[in-house]
Amino acid sequence: RSSWLLLAPLLTPPVPVITAPPCSLCPEGAHRFQWIRNLVPEFGISSSHVKVLSSPTEFYELLKVQIKAAKQRVVMASLYLGTGLLEQELVYCLEETLEKSLQAKGSPDLRVSILLDYTRGSRGRKNSRTMLIPLLQRFPEQVRVSLFHTPNLRGLLRLLIPERFNETIGLQHIKVYLFDDNVILSGANLSDLYFTNRQDRYVLLRDSPEIADFFTELVDAIGDVSLQLQQDDTVQMMEGMVHPYQGDKVAYCKIANQRVMEVINSARTRQELLHAKTFHSSQPGSSLLSQQDSQASGSLKPEPDTWIYPLIQMKPFGIQIDEMVTETLLTEAERDARIFLTTGYFNLTQAYMDLILGTRAEYRILLASPEVNGFFGAKGVAGAIPAAYVYIEHQFYSEVCYLQQQERVQLQEYSRAGWTFHAKGLWLYLAGSDLPCLTLIGSPNFGYRSVHRDLEAQVAIVTENKALQQQLHQEQEQLYLCSGVVSASTFEQPNRYVKLWVKLVTPLIKNFF
């Protein structure tokens, strides 16, 4: 189903897949999703530490405020950093904060770590690299810029595929923005569109040191197996590290797998020990004195009513945690449960489509209308991508109708003048509930690329708190309010006409966008 040229890097033996314990719903414990902690660390927090943002402007202003307030660490993982004035202002904020740290007494404490994709971050003469080099030159001891290069883009293929098209092979797609102990998870990149009129999703986790530590370690791990940007705009690997496209592919992927799984497993062990300690100290037979000591020191935290589970997907390294959890959530959703699923690019994997069409829950799937697709109006071949998405959408809608599932599975198209749509994620409403108890938020689009090609991360947020559930519900409603329901007549509109060549090519290239 892929073009012969682009298949070239995938013909080498695959990395062994990491298998996990079978997932099943847990009848006991605080909530029914605790089976996820069999795979990843579970972070219990207070819902008061979670804030859902709604607009690009709010996201941008928060980034600037957080950068300026940072004292110990700034960690930013994104596909790329844009080159406009708004992005330059972010760089100035970093420079100002680093300068303050440098002038403080003693050695500077602030460390800045930025992880981007090599191909996307190197596009054009002015690019993410040229934006960040001044920081590297001025603060060499405090700043690290890592550029991930997929191991699947190598050899003749790397020489033949031109700029932009080389990004189809695989990317660093994680979006995490972290400042001291505050973490912003999003699907938004560091680019002016995402700060102005491209709708995405964003959640702030405040005062969450364990979660911040986890994502710092994750970004460090990926950074260690990435190319390091130098002050003269060259790149080099860390000493002793296998090169992603010049070295042995299997050896590189094995090392990358070990580094990332080490972060996941060590955090999981830490959280289990913390959970056991908290559980035992809260038992009736525990030492009253130790509890009084904890209260006196102010270290006694409120009982968590919200749980955060980081879900990682890095198929090139044989890590498929996000895919397993998402498939299980879709499989286990009971009759009369409602799932609101949104993606900026509607190109679901066959497995996800089969589960949606074959399970019992109600689905409301939100996707971009052609006019708000990020590729709308693009030059050259990329300009045909919105039409390819229309074709994929039409095929899925036809399948829904054929199976007579129109009442249970509904497609809705986001449409907003002057805006583009990039929001992705899922909200789960249990049967009989008017509010969601779980959301997925992060970088994956639920498509072939997200599952098989790119490095992705999102979190499952599970909450029992009504106020936070209300926040998530309002976020969902706000997005779906700007949409219309798809029907057969939708595809009869003139702007939905798909040229024959696009229909012929789409099955060959759909796994690359």
Side-chain angles (χ1 to χ4, degrees), residues 78-79 116-121 123 148-152 164 166-174 313-314 316 449 453-456 512:
S78 188
L79 175 60
L116 305 172
D117 181 72
Y118 176 89
T119 52
R120 184 65 181 85
R123 188 200 284 183
F148 173 80
H149 191 295
T150 179
N152 288 332
R164 289 177 182 261
N166 59 8
E167 296 165 29
T168 62
I169 304 302
L171 297 165
Q172 191 309 108
H173 201 244
I174 295 167
Q313 184 75 11
M314 299 178 182
R449 286 199 62 119
R453 296 191 178 281
D454 298 341
L455 305 192
E456 305 278 12
F512 294 89

Side-chain angles (χ1 to χ4, degrees), residues 11 46 344 398 444:
L11 297 178
S46 166
S398 300

